[in-house]
């Protein structure tokens, strides 16, 4: 059933991603937990004012990939709590007006999952075909596919003398989605969490589970082959023609959509589609809007941080979203280098304004509202399996504990508790408590922006059109709803700029919370200032 109404909750929401291991540690074991998240719901719903949470995995896991290797989909890992706490978290969040979506990791399980243990036990196991087992080629893997985390995506099982496929770690065997029993078992997992009350899913690696049935070798990439935006090590040595996004993947998404649409309430699926060819990316909506509600939109992260590049990316995405579809935007997550570190100095405020005023649902990553930066994590403190051998691949630096206060462990856990990843030294300045008390802080900028978005339908669901006054270093765009017209102007220059936007009231400035001028036509912006004008 296509739902295209603008009232839909997730079109109007600001999302906030929580990486539970790093958010708040309630019991002092050094890892964040669900009870910790519960204790911060007032911050999220109240002080910050977001509408929805995305929780990264908290399910039972050997923690080889920090929860993205699941050994029991319907239980909570003891590091993070138990099922009752998960239920309480969902209920408490709802009672404060927050929706909750959870990670749904469908491409693979942990190698410790009972399904895989059974599958691995013998070639004749009834679950053998639940995973992808193959004979090798003359003692070598069945083909040349490499794992996203480097190295072959096949590992050999000595006992049963076959290879199994893993798109990620060898501890994360790929499920065989061509087996109908797997499909049903995984849909039951989705129903379990929907029955508990979650409002939807962030579908992990949602383009990965269907690959070429003939399992052909990927061609090697020529040296000048374009890379999306980040260096992926050995994975970049190939053109990935055959090892993701086989057309059959769309049938799985249609069936998943039927599962979520069977619920009375409006359930959201937002899928991690790491595809940068826009028409292919957009195909995940489905021709009749019968697949994902939204493919996750990472395109902003591929843009260079300048007006022509950002404008081109934003327009290209918006023009490629099928009419009647809805997109989302993000500038950070647990797999990327922290936003504040990627940006040129002094551009954080422009980034926040852009993210919260383009047409589409914004997803914020925990800590970005404080300006948290990437932390250089020493090798002996490293946790991420990706990057153990190539440190620049490591994602640890973007997953360090949230800064709540200027207490010794940044208020992440009880006094004296250690933390699973190191805390950035700048937590003394960049923390919730301190920033709440400083009108000019990054946190207060985010709070003001979220409130502005909430107050103005034009900023949430209005149309988007780049303004003709845009130039090489000033980006202006108009947002227009039935009742309002607003213009957003971002000055990327290191000096003042004045541009013509028409008459209106200036209702927001990144530079000065007090600024409120009447605009007669031309608006003057300070260096790196962004403003919002309401046309009355
Ligand atoms: C997704 C997750 C990432 C994880 C991988 C394997 O890309 O975002 O964190 O390592 O899937 O599950």
């Amino acid at each position: 059933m296509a739902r295209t109404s603008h009232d839909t909750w997730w079109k109007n929401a600001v999302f906030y991603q929580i990486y539970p291991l790093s958010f708040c540690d309630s019991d002092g074991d050094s890892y964040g937990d669900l009870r910790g998240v519960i204790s911060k719901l007032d911050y999220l719903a109240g002080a910050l004012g977001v509408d929805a949470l995305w929780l990264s995995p908290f399910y039972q896991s050997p923690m080889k990939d920090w929860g993205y290797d699941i050994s029991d989909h319907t239980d909570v890992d003891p590091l993070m709590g138990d099922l009752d706490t998960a239920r309480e978290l969902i209920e408490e969040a709802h009672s404060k007006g927050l929706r909750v979506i959870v990670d749904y990791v469908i491409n693979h399980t942990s190698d410790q999952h009972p399904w895989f243990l059974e599958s691995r036990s013998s070639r004749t196991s009834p679950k053998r075909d639940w995973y992808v087992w193959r004979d090798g080629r003359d003692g070598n893997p069945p083909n040349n596919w490499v794992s996203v985390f480097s190295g072959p995506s096949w590992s050999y099982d000595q006992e049963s003398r076959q290879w199994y496929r893993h798109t990620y770690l060898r501890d994360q065997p790929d499920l065989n989605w061509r087996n109908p029993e797997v499909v049903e078992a995984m849909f039951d997992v989705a129903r379990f969490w929907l029955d508990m009350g979650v409002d939807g899913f962030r579908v992990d690696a949602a383009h990965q589970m269907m690959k070429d049935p003939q399992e052909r070798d990927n061609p090697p990439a020529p040296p000048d082959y374009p890379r999306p935006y980040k260096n992926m090590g050995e994975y970049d040595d190939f053109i990935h023609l055959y090892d993701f996004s086989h057309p059959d993947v769309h049938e799985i998404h249609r069936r998943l959509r039927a599962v979520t649409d069977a619920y009375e309430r409006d359930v959201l699926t937002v899928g991690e589609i790491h595809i940068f060819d826009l028409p292919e990316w957009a195909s995940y909506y489905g021709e009749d809007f019968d697949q994902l509600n939204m493919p996750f939109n990472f395109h902003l992260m591929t843009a260079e941080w300048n007006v022509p590049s950002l404008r081109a990316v934003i327009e290209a995405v918006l023009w490629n979203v099928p009419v009647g579809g809805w997109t989302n935007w993000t500038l950070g997550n647990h797999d990327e280098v922290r936003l504040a570190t990627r940006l040129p100095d002094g551009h954080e405020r422009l980034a926040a304004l852009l993210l919260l005023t383009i047409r589409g649902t914004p997803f914020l990553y925990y800590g970005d509202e404080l300006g948290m930066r990437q932390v250089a994590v020493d090798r002996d403190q490293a946790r991420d399996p990706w990057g153990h051998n190539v440190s620049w691949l490591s994602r640890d630096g973007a997953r360090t504990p949230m800064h709540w206060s200027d207490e010794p462990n940044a208020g992440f856990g009880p006094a004296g508790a250690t933390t699973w990843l190191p805390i950035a030294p700048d937590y003394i300045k960049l923390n919730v408590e301190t920033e709440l008390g400083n009108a000019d802080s990054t946190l207060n900028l985010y709070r003001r922006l979220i409130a502005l978005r909430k107050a103005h339908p034009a900023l949430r669901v209005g149309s988007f059109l780049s303004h003709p006054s845009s130039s090489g270093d000033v980006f202006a765009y108009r947002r227009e709803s039935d009742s309002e017209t607003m213009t957003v102007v971002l000055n990327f220059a290191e000096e003042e700029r004045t541009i013509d936007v028409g008459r209106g009231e200036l209702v927001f400035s990144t530079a000065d919370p007090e600024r409120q001028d009447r605009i007669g036509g031309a608006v003057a912006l300070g260096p790196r200032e962004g403003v919002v004008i309401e046309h009355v």
Side-chain angles (χ1 to χ4, degrees):
M1 184 195 332
R3 292 193 176 92
T4 50
S5 154
H6 277 168
D7 301 335
T8 314
W9 68 269
W10 46 267
K11 292 186 181 173
N12 284 275
V14 174
F15 275 77
Y16 185 94
Q17 182 192 352
I18 292 179
Y19 192 73
L21 289 165
S22 299
F23 201 56
C24 178
D25 171 14
S26 72
D27 58 8
D29 70 353
S30 88
Y31 296 95
D33 46 52
L34 298 185
R35 174 111 359 247
V37 176
I38 294 175
S39 73
K40 299 300 183 187
L41 292 175
D42 282 334
Y43 164 73
L44 296 161
L48 186 58
V50 297
D51 309 288
L53 309 178
W54 152 27
L55 298 172
S56 280
F58 49 81
Y59 317 109
Q60 232 171 64
S61 164
M63 299 293 163
K64 292 287 167 37
D65 190 19
W66 298 104
Y68 282 94
D69 50 320
I70 298 174
S71 52
D72 185 346
H73 295 97
T74 56
D75 206 352
V76 172
D77 194 87
L79 279 184
M80 285 179 268
D82 55 26
L83 268 184
D84 283 340
T85 319
R87 199 172 288 114
E88 188 182 328
L89 165 51
I90 296 163
E91 282 167 9
E92 280 277 305
H94 285 167
S95 76
K96 293 179 195 298
L98 289 168
R99 313 271 179 154
V100 180
I101 68 167
V102 295
D103 235 292
Y104 179 44
V105 184
I106 60 175
N107 176 70
H108 46 270
T109 67
S110 158
D111 64 346
Q112 299 306 307
H113 195 294
W115 297 343
F116 187 71
L117 295 177
E118 169 64 53
S119 179
R120 176 174 219 163
S121 66
S122 87
R123 288 193 185 202
T124 55
S125 148
K127 288 206 168 49
R128 187 64 169 182
D129 187 50
W130 280 42
Y131 293 83
V132 184
W133 290 98
R134 299 285 182 263
D135 295 325
R137 273 191 313 208
D138 310 324
N140 293 310
N143 64 20
N144 74 351
W145 295 352
V146 293
S147 130
V148 175
F149 294 157
S150 297
S153 56
W154 300 92
S155 285
Y156 190 64
D157 178 54
Q158 290 292 350
E159 298 275 296
S160 63
R161 287 182 285 108
Q162 275 190 315
W163 301 78
Y164 66 90
R165 198 185 74 204
H166 48 89
T167 303
Y168 296 90
L169 300 175
R170 63 164 59 219
D171 321 76
Q172 292 169 300
D174 286 352
L175 282 163
N176 177 15
W177 277 83
R178 297 186 186 279
N179 179 322
E181 290 173 8
V182 168
V183 177
E184 268 322 301
M186 284 305 291
F187 286 171
D188 280 346
V189 169
R191 292 187 192 102
F192 176 89
W193 289 101
L194 289 168
D195 291 343
M196 195 180 284
V198 301
D199 300 286
F201 300 109
R202 177 268 187 181
V203 187
D204 184 70
H207 58 309
Q208 288 283 10
M209 66 282 185
M210 286 301 201
K211 307 190 195 287
D212 177 31
Q214 295 175 51
E215 298 176 348
R216 282 167 281 189
D217 277 353
N218 279 322
D224 54 353
Y225 192 71
R227 317 272 182 231
Y229 64 107
K230 63 178 175 187
N231 187 333
M232 301 270 287
E234 192 186 346
Y235 192 74
D236 285 342
D237 294 347
F238 296 90
I239 301 176
H240 292 273
L241 270 192
Y242 297 121
D243 59 349
F244 65 73
S245 205
H246 183 271
D248 291 348
V249 77
H250 297 291
E251 182 54 24
I252 299 294
H253 282 297
R254 267 188 289 270
R255 296 184 56 190
L256 173 61
R257 181 61 176 271
V259 170
T260 59
D261 273 356
Y263 285 74
E264 279 284 293
R265 60 190 194 276
D266 200 351
V267 171
L268 169 70
T269 53
V270 50
E272 185 197 24
I273 304 295
H274 233 262
I275 291 178
F276 295 91
D277 175 79
L278 279 164
E280 189 183 354
W281 169 80
S283 71
Y284 282 80
Y285 285 96
E287 278 174 23
D288 298 316
F289 295 107
D290 56 356
Q291 298 184 35
L292 291 165
N293 291 109
M294 304 191 276
F296 226 120
N297 169 11
F298 301 111
H299 295 90
L300 217 43
M301 291 200 269
T302 68
E304 281 172 46
W305 196 257
N306 60 51
V307 174
S309 170
L310 288 167
R311 177 176 172 178
V313 166
I314 291 167
E315 290 177 350
V317 169
L318 291 176
W319 306 162
N320 274 278
V321 172
V323 176
W326 188 256
T327 194
N328 56 84
W329 300 94
T330 188
L331 282 169
N333 64 36
H334 64 296
D335 294 327
E336 304 292 335
V337 171
R338 277 268 179 203
L339 171 64
T341 302
R342 295 199 324 265
L343 289 172
D345 279 351
H347 280 246
E348 243 172 88
R349 288 168 176 259
L350 289 177
L353 176 59
L354 184 74
L355 184 62
L356 284 149
T357 59
I358 348 175
R359 178 181 159 90
T361 300
F363 277 73
L364 312 180
Y365 181 52
Y366 86 91
D368 280 354
E369 78 277 25
L370 306 174
M372 276 177 68
R373 300 181 67 82
Q374 190 78 0
V375 177
V377 175
D378 288 344
R379 193 166 273 269
D380 60 344
Q381 289 179 299
R383 299 291 196 149
D384 186 9
W386 198 12
H388 267 172
N389 42 2
V390 198
S391 64
W392 47 261
L393 284 173
S394 172
R395 300 166 293 183
D396 285 333
R399 298 175 174 181
T400 59
M402 174 74 173
H403 304 166
W404 294 103
S405 70
D406 61 5
E407 303 284 305
N409 58 19
F412 168 70
T418 54
T419 59
W420 79 295
L421 277 168
I423 290 182
D426 57 12
Y427 79 93
I428 299 279
K429 234 177 63 202
L430 303 181
N431 66 72
V432 171
E433 208 174 282
T434 306
E435 292 197 35
L436 280 177
N438 165 8
D440 203 30
S441 64
T442 308
L443 176 54
N444 274 318
L445 177 85
Y446 274 88
R447 295 178 66 202
R448 288 197 292 130
L449 270 171
I450 292 169
L452 182 79
R453 188 179 170 93
K454 210 164 270 183
H456 292 285
L459 295 180
R460 297 198 306 276
V461 295
S463 59
F464 175 99
L465 199 58
S466 297
H467 195 278
S469 297
S470 294
S471 65
D473 47 21
V474 177
F475 188 16
Y477 44 87
R478 188 127 307 167
R479 301 292 318 274
E480 197 165 340
S481 68
D482 294 343
S483 55
E484 292 178 322
T485 304
M486 304 187 83
T487 305
V488 181
V489 192
L490 302 119
N491 178 16
F492 282 61
E494 296 297 318
E495 53 212 49
E496 239 188 57
R497 289 279 187 269
T498 299
I499 77 155
D500 213 338
V501 290
R503 297 160 74 87
E505 305 268 350
L506 187 149
V507 292
F508 186 92
S509 155
T510 55
D512 176 3
E514 305 295 322
R515 181 169 176 191
Q516 270 193 338
D517 340 336
R518 190 168 281 276
I519 308 294
V523 59
L525 291 97
R528 286 176 268 104
E529 185 180 12
V531 300
V532 180
I533 291 144
E534 183 175 4
H535 300 283
V536 278

